[in-house]
Amino acid sequence: MTGQTKPEQALDRLADLLVEDILSATDDEILAEAAEGPGTRGTLSRSALQKAKAIIADRASAEGSAAAAVQGADEAWSISEIRDVLSGKKRTILPDLMRALLSNAELGRTFRAAVAELVAAGRGFLIPSVASASTSDDDFERHFDGGSIRVRKLSSRPGQYGVSISMFDAARRPVVLLVEQATDYAIQDLSNVPFTGSVPLILDTANAEDAKVLRLLRDPDSKGAILPEAD
Amino acid sequence: MRSNDPPTDILSAAEMQASLGKLTDVDFKRLDLIALVHTKGRRIAAEELLQEAFVRALEGKRRCPRNIGVVKFLEGVMRSLWSGLAKGAKGRPAVPLTATGDDKTIEIADPSPPQDRALAATQLWAAVLTLFADDPLAQRIVQATAEGFEGKELWSMLDIDETTYESTRRKILRRITARFPDGASL
């Protein structure tokens, strides 16, 4: 550990001890941590695994793998496929669609059109623009026909906001949040977040995508949609 | 391993993919905690570390012996990656930290130069000790562990038995990991 300061060495040794404990702890002990504090929900590793699979699919696609191309190629998404994904017929490849959206502006337009079609068909909820900006940037709500979105700043976590998407019908789990303006949009995949009548999210302004969702939700001119799981 | 050992000792790529598909909520939570501990609570770095570990596992760049369990295997991959990053970053302000492994280059966001990391470590260490200000035994175990004591040597130095030591360790784990609120640093 040459070159490390004493506190760095101390933290490394403590980390070794903690990792050993985490590996040897029983499932109940791991779950019990949630009772002691906010804890983690496994969201980091779930997200990391999805991204890793996307990377592997991209690499395989670049090598000409036809199987991977089906999942990895951005240009393969048609509006009907996107509708199928959003309406639940192909929900398992939603993460692939989300990843593709990050790098494909044309796909973003197609996606927004597909969402608009589903909302028009009554298979999603429109989040309307509001008459005026909220009096507070740090604690506000947006409403839609099927429920509401509450945003509040977390005093204990600088830069982070708690977002709770509540549904009037607790059987209708929301899976996608879209917020958009004329020139920008943000999409949040909610499909892996626990749902018990509401979806709790923590958005961090240090994360560009999270910050964009928050900015757009604050903007009274923005609109959006909540797509629930298909019946 | 003998050279003629059958490859069945190692999970195949398909088996690894299947194993990752069967990870439970507890497994994911355990992996989050391990990554956060390795990265000292830095959420973005922890997610990137996890992602690279998954990539290596899926690509077969790191091979998982059949008898150790996927979570433990991934912990080993993360430890190795993070250790490589720490060594690579020593003495130079890497922005971001960059390390090369196998034929790939990975980048894990830690824009802090060494002096900032040292300062952050000092503050973090102080925060850890403060966390146990109300529990002198836990604080002494943390300090003794940091000094490099472990096992029997540690129990005997603190004049405690193994049961007390193990139960206090669990308390230390619970309290520290509870301070990783979905990834916020200590």
Coordinates of all heavy atoms in Angstrom, one line a residue, chain B residues 28-78:
Chain B
F28 N -28.4 -8.9 -5.7 CA -28.2 -7.5 -6.3 C -27.9 -6.5 -5.1 O -27.0 -5.7 -5.3 CB -29.4 -7.0 -7.0 CG -29.6 -7.6 -8.4 CD1 -30.7 -8.4 -8.8 CD2 -28.6 -7.4 -9.4 CE1 -30.8 -8.9 -10.1 CE2 -28.7 -7.9 -10.7 CZ -29.8 -8.7 -11.0
K29 N -28.6 -6.7 -4.0 CA -28.3 -5.8 -2.9 C -26.9 -6.0 -2.4 O -26.2 -5.1 -2.1 CB -29.4 -6.0 -1.8 CG -29.3 -5.0 -0.7 CD -30.5 -5.3 0.2 CE -30.3 -4.6 1.6 NZ -30.3 -3.2 1.6
R30 N -26.5 -7.3 -2.3 CA -25.2 -7.6 -1.8 C -24.1 -7.0 -2.7 O -23.1 -6.5 -2.3 CB -25.1 -9.2 -1.7 CG -24.2 -9.7 -0.6 CD -24.1 -11.2 -0.7 NE -25.3 -11.9 -0.3 CZ -25.4 -12.4 1.0 NH1 -24.5 -12.3 1.9 NH2 -26.5 -13.1 1.3
L31 N -24.4 -7.2 -4.0 CA -23.4 -6.6 -5.0 C -23.3 -5.1 -4.9 O -22.2 -4.5 -5.0 CB -23.8 -7.1 -6.4 CG -23.5 -8.5 -6.8 CD1 -24.2 -8.9 -8.1 CD2 -22.0 -8.8 -6.9
D32 N -24.4 -4.5 -4.7 CA -24.4 -3.0 -4.6 C -23.5 -2.6 -3.4 O -22.7 -1.7 -3.5 CB -25.8 -2.5 -4.2 CG -26.6 -2.1 -5.5 OD1 -26.3 -2.6 -6.6 OD2 -27.7 -1.4 -5.3
L33 N -23.7 -3.3 -2.3 CA -23.0 -3.0 -1.1 C -21.5 -3.2 -1.3 O -20.7 -2.4 -0.9 CB -23.5 -3.9 0.1 CG -24.9 -3.6 0.6 CD1 -25.3 -4.6 1.6 CD2 -25.0 -2.2 1.2
I34 N -21.1 -4.3 -1.9 CA -19.7 -4.6 -2.1 C -19.1 -3.6 -3.0 O -18.0 -3.0 -2.7 CB -19.6 -6.0 -2.8 CG1 -19.9 -7.1 -1.8 CG2 -18.1 -6.2 -3.3 CD1 -20.1 -8.5 -2.4
A35 N -19.8 -3.2 -4.1 CA -19.2 -2.2 -5.0 C -19.1 -0.8 -4.3 O -18.1 -0.1 -4.4 CB -20.1 -2.0 -6.2
L36 N -20.1 -0.5 -3.5 CA -20.0 0.8 -2.7 C -18.9 0.8 -1.7 O -18.3 1.8 -1.5 CB -21.4 1.0 -2.0 CG -22.5 1.5 -3.0 CD1 -23.9 1.3 -2.3 CD2 -22.3 2.9 -3.4
V37 N -18.7 -0.4 -1.1 CA -17.6 -0.5 -0.1 C -16.3 -0.3 -0.8 O -15.4 0.5 -0.4 CB -17.6 -1.8 0.7 CG1 -16.3 -2.1 1.4 CG2 -18.8 -1.8 1.7
H38 N -16.1 -1.0 -2.0 CA -14.8 -0.9 -2.7 C -14.6 0.6 -3.2 O -13.5 1.0 -3.1 CB -14.8 -1.8 -3.9 CG -14.4 -3.2 -3.6 ND1 -13.3 -3.5 -2.8 CD2 -15.0 -4.4 -3.9 CE1 -13.3 -4.9 -2.7 NE2 -14.3 -5.4 -3.4
T39 N -15.6 1.2 -3.6 CA -15.5 2.6 -4.1 C -15.7 3.7 -3.0 O -15.8 4.8 -3.3 CB -16.4 2.9 -5.3 OG1 -17.8 2.7 -4.8 CG2 -16.2 1.9 -6.4
K40 N -15.8 3.2 -1.8 CA -16.0 4.1 -0.6 C -17.2 5.0 -0.8 O -17.2 6.2 -0.5 CB -14.7 5.0 -0.4 CG -13.4 4.3 -0.5 CD -13.2 3.4 0.7 CE -11.8 2.8 0.7 NZ -11.5 1.8 -0.3
G41 N -18.3 4.3 -1.3 CA -19.6 5.0 -1.3 C -19.8 5.9 -2.5 O -20.8 6.6 -2.5
R42 N -18.9 5.8 -3.5 CA -19.2 6.7 -4.7 C -20.1 6.0 -5.7 O -19.7 5.0 -6.3 CB -17.8 7.1 -5.3 CG -17.1 8.2 -4.5 CD -15.7 8.3 -5.0 NE -14.9 7.2 -4.6 CZ -13.6 7.2 -4.6 NH1 -12.9 8.2 -5.1 NH2 -12.9 6.1 -4.2
R43 N -21.3 6.5 -5.8 CA -22.3 5.8 -6.5 C -22.0 5.6 -8.0 O -22.1 4.5 -8.5 CB -23.6 6.6 -6.4 CG -24.7 6.0 -7.3 CD -26.0 6.8 -7.2 NE -27.0 6.3 -8.1 CZ -28.3 6.5 -7.9 NH1 -28.7 7.2 -7.0 NH2 -29.1 6.0 -8.8
I44 N -21.5 6.6 -8.7 CA -21.2 6.5 -10.1 C -20.1 5.5 -10.3 O -20.2 4.6 -11.2 CB -20.9 7.9 -10.7 CG1 -22.2 8.7 -10.7 CG2 -20.5 7.7 -12.2 CD1 -22.0 10.2 -11.1
A45 N -19.0 5.6 -9.5 CA -17.9 4.7 -9.7 C -18.3 3.3 -9.4 O -17.9 2.3 -10.0 CB -16.8 5.1 -8.8
A46 N -19.2 3.1 -8.4 CA -19.7 1.8 -8.0 C -20.4 1.1 -9.1 O -20.2 0.0 -9.5 CB -20.5 1.9 -6.7
E47 N -21.3 1.9 -9.8 CA -22.1 1.3 -10.9 C -21.2 1.0 -12.0 O -21.3 -0.1 -12.7 CB -23.2 2.3 -11.3 CG -24.1 1.7 -12.4 CD -25.3 2.5 -12.8 OE1 -25.6 3.4 -12.1 OE2 -25.9 2.2 -13.8
E48 N -20.2 1.8 -12.3 CA -19.3 1.5 -13.4 C -18.4 0.3 -13.1 O -18.1 -0.5 -14.0 CB -18.4 2.8 -13.7 CG -19.3 3.9 -14.4 CD -18.5 5.2 -14.5 OE1 -17.5 5.3 -13.9 OE2 -19.0 6.1 -15.3
L49 N -18.0 0.2 -11.8 CA -17.2 -1.0 -11.4 C -18.0 -2.2 -11.6 O -17.6 -3.2 -12.2 CB -16.8 -0.8 -10.0 CG -15.9 -1.8 -9.4 CD1 -14.5 -1.8 -10.1 CD2 -15.6 -1.6 -7.9
L50 N -19.3 -2.2 -11.2 CA -20.2 -3.3 -11.4 C -20.4 -3.7 -12.9 O -20.3 -4.8 -13.3 CB -21.6 -3.0 -10.8 CG -21.7 -3.1 -9.3 CD1 -22.8 -2.3 -8.7 CD2 -21.8 -4.6 -8.8
Q51 N -20.6 -2.6 -13.6 CA -20.8 -2.8 -15.1 C -19.6 -3.5 -15.7 O -19.8 -4.5 -16.5 CB -21.0 -1.5 -15.7 CG -21.2 -1.5 -17.2 CD -21.4 -0.2 -17.8 OE1 -22.1 0.7 -17.3 NE2 -20.6 0.1 -18.9
E52 N -18.4 -3.0 -15.4 CA -17.2 -3.6 -16.0 C -17.0 -5.1 -15.5 O -16.6 -6.0 -16.3 CB -16.0 -2.8 -15.7 CG -14.7 -3.2 -16.4 CD -14.9 -3.1 -17.9 OE1 -15.7 -2.3 -18.4 OE2 -14.2 -3.9 -18.6
A53 N -17.4 -5.3 -14.3 CA -17.3 -6.7 -13.8 C -18.2 -7.6 -14.5 O -17.9 -8.7 -14.9 CB -17.5 -6.8 -12.3
F54 N -19.5 -7.1 -14.7 CA -20.4 -7.9 -15.5 C -20.0 -8.2 -16.9 O -20.1 -9.3 -17.5 CB -21.8 -7.2 -15.5 CG -22.6 -7.3 -14.2 CD1 -23.1 -6.2 -13.6 CD2 -22.8 -8.6 -13.6 CE1 -23.9 -6.3 -12.5 CE2 -23.5 -8.7 -12.4 CZ -24.1 -7.5 -11.9
V55 N -19.4 -7.1 -17.5 CA -18.9 -7.2 -18.9 C -17.9 -8.3 -19.0 O -17.9 -9.2 -19.8 CB -18.4 -5.9 -19.5 CG1 -17.6 -6.1 -20.7 CG2 -19.5 -4.9 -19.7
R56 N -16.9 -8.3 -18.1 CA -15.8 -9.3 -18.1 C -16.4 -10.7 -17.9 O -15.9 -11.6 -18.4 CB -14.8 -8.9 -17.0 CG -14.3 -7.5 -17.2 CD -12.9 -7.5 -17.3 NE -12.5 -6.1 -17.6 CZ -11.3 -5.6 -17.7 NH1 -10.3 -6.4 -17.4 NH2 -11.1 -4.4 -18.0
A57 N -17.4 -10.8 -17.0 CA -17.9 -12.1 -16.7 C -18.7 -12.6 -18.0 O -18.5 -13.8 -18.3 CB -18.9 -12.0 -15.5
L58 N -19.5 -11.7 -18.6 CA -20.3 -12.2 -19.7 C -19.4 -12.5 -20.9 O -19.7 -13.4 -21.7 CB -21.3 -11.1 -20.1 CG -22.5 -10.9 -19.2 CD1 -23.2 -9.6 -19.4 CD2 -23.4 -12.1 -19.4
E59 N -18.3 -11.7 -21.1 CA -17.4 -12.0 -22.2 C -16.5 -13.2 -22.0 O -15.8 -13.6 -22.9 CB -16.5 -10.7 -22.4 CG -17.2 -9.6 -23.2 CD -16.2 -8.6 -23.6 OE1 -15.2 -8.4 -22.9 OE2 -16.4 -7.9 -24.6
G60 N -16.4 -13.6 -20.7 CA -15.6 -14.8 -20.5 C -14.1 -14.4 -20.3 O -13.2 -15.2 -20.3
K61 N -13.9 -13.0 -20.1 CA -12.5 -12.6 -19.9 C -12.0 -13.0 -18.5 O -10.9 -13.1 -18.2 CB -12.4 -11.0 -20.0 CG -12.7 -10.5 -21.3 CD -11.5 -10.7 -22.2 CE -11.8 -10.1 -23.6 NZ -10.8 -10.5 -24.6
R62 N -13.0 -13.1 -17.6 CA -12.7 -13.6 -16.3 C -13.6 -14.9 -16.1 O -14.8 -14.9 -16.4 CB -13.1 -12.6 -15.1 CG -12.4 -11.3 -15.2 CD -10.9 -11.5 -14.9 NE -10.2 -10.3 -15.0 CZ -9.8 -9.6 -14.0 NH1 -10.1 -10.0 -12.8 NH2 -9.2 -8.4 -14.2
R63 N -12.9 -16.0 -15.7 CA -13.6 -17.3 -15.7 C -14.0 -17.6 -14.3 O -13.2 -17.5 -13.4 CB -12.8 -18.3 -16.4 CG -12.4 -17.9 -17.8 CD -11.3 -18.8 -18.4 NE -11.8 -20.0 -18.8 CZ -11.1 -21.1 -19.0 NH1 -9.8 -21.0 -18.9 NH2 -11.6 -22.2 -19.4
C64 N -15.2 -18.0 -14.2 CA -15.8 -18.3 -12.8 C -15.7 -19.8 -12.5 O -16.4 -20.6 -13.1 CB -17.2 -17.8 -12.8 SG -18.0 -18.2 -11.2
P65 N -14.9 -20.1 -11.5 CA -14.9 -21.5 -11.1 C -16.3 -21.9 -10.6 O -16.9 -21.1 -9.9 CB -13.9 -21.6 -9.9 CG -13.0 -20.3 -10.1 CD -13.9 -19.3 -10.7
R66 N -16.6 -23.1 -10.9 CA -18.0 -23.6 -10.6 C -18.3 -23.6 -9.1 O -19.5 -23.5 -8.7 CB -18.1 -25.0 -11.2 CG -19.5 -25.5 -11.4 CD -19.5 -26.8 -12.1 NE -19.1 -26.7 -13.5 CZ -20.0 -26.2 -14.5 NH1 -21.2 -25.9 -14.1 NH2 -19.6 -26.1 -15.7
N67 N -17.3 -23.7 -8.3 CA -17.5 -24.0 -6.9 C -17.5 -22.7 -6.0 O -17.6 -22.8 -4.8 CB -16.5 -25.0 -6.3 CG -15.1 -24.4 -6.5 OD1 -14.9 -23.5 -7.2 ND2 -14.2 -25.1 -5.8
I68 N -17.4 -21.5 -6.6 CA -17.3 -20.4 -5.7 C -18.6 -19.5 -5.6 O -18.7 -18.6 -4.7 CB -16.1 -19.5 -5.9 CG1 -16.2 -18.7 -7.2 CG2 -14.8 -20.3 -5.9 CD1 -15.3 -17.5 -7.2
G69 N -19.5 -19.6 -6.5 CA -20.7 -18.7 -6.5 C -20.4 -17.5 -7.2 O -19.3 -16.9 -7.2
V70 N -21.4 -17.0 -7.9 CA -21.3 -15.9 -8.9 C -21.0 -14.6 -8.1 O -20.2 -13.8 -8.6 CB -22.5 -15.8 -9.8 CG1 -22.5 -14.5 -10.6 CG2 -22.6 -17.0 -10.7
V71 N -21.7 -14.4 -7.0 CA -21.5 -13.1 -6.2 C -20.1 -13.0 -5.8 O -19.4 -12.0 -5.9 CB -22.5 -13.0 -5.1 CG1 -22.2 -11.8 -4.2 CG2 -24.0 -12.9 -5.6
K72 N -19.6 -14.1 -5.2 CA -18.2 -14.0 -4.7 C -17.2 -13.9 -5.9 O -16.2 -13.1 -5.8 CB -17.9 -15.4 -4.0 CG -16.6 -15.3 -3.3 CD -16.5 -16.3 -2.2 CE -15.2 -16.2 -1.6 NZ -14.4 -16.4 -0.7
F73 N -17.5 -14.5 -7.0 CA -16.7 -14.4 -8.2 C -16.7 -12.9 -8.6 O -15.6 -12.3 -8.9 CB -17.2 -15.3 -9.3 CG -16.7 -14.9 -10.7 CD1 -15.4 -15.1 -11.1 CD2 -17.6 -14.3 -11.6 CE1 -15.0 -14.8 -12.3 CE2 -17.2 -14.0 -12.8 CZ -15.9 -14.2 -13.2
L74 N -17.8 -12.3 -8.7 CA -17.9 -10.9 -9.1 C -17.2 -10.0 -8.1 O -16.6 -9.0 -8.5 CB -19.4 -10.4 -9.3 CG -20.1 -11.1 -10.5 CD1 -21.6 -10.8 -10.4 CD2 -19.6 -10.5 -11.8
E75 N -17.3 -10.3 -6.9 CA -16.5 -9.5 -5.9 C -15.0 -9.6 -6.2 O -14.3 -8.5 -6.1 CB -16.8 -10.1 -4.5 CG -16.2 -9.2 -3.3 CD -14.8 -9.3 -3.1 OE1 -14.2 -10.4 -3.1 OE2 -14.1 -8.3 -2.8
G76 N -14.5 -10.7 -6.5 CA -13.1 -10.9 -6.9 C -12.7 -10.0 -8.1 O -11.7 -9.4 -8.2
V77 N -13.6 -10.0 -9.1 CA -13.4 -9.2 -10.3 C -13.3 -7.8 -10.0 O -12.5 -7.0 -10.4 CB -14.4 -9.5 -11.4 CG1 -14.2 -8.7 -12.6 CG2 -14.5 -11.0 -11.8
M78 N -14.3 -7.3 -9.1 CA -14.3 -5.9 -8.8 C -13.1 -5.5 -8.0 O -12.5 -4.5 -8.2 CB -15.6 -5.6 -7.9 CG -16.9 -5.5 -8.8 SD -18.3 -4.9 -7.8 CE -18.9 -6.3 -7.0

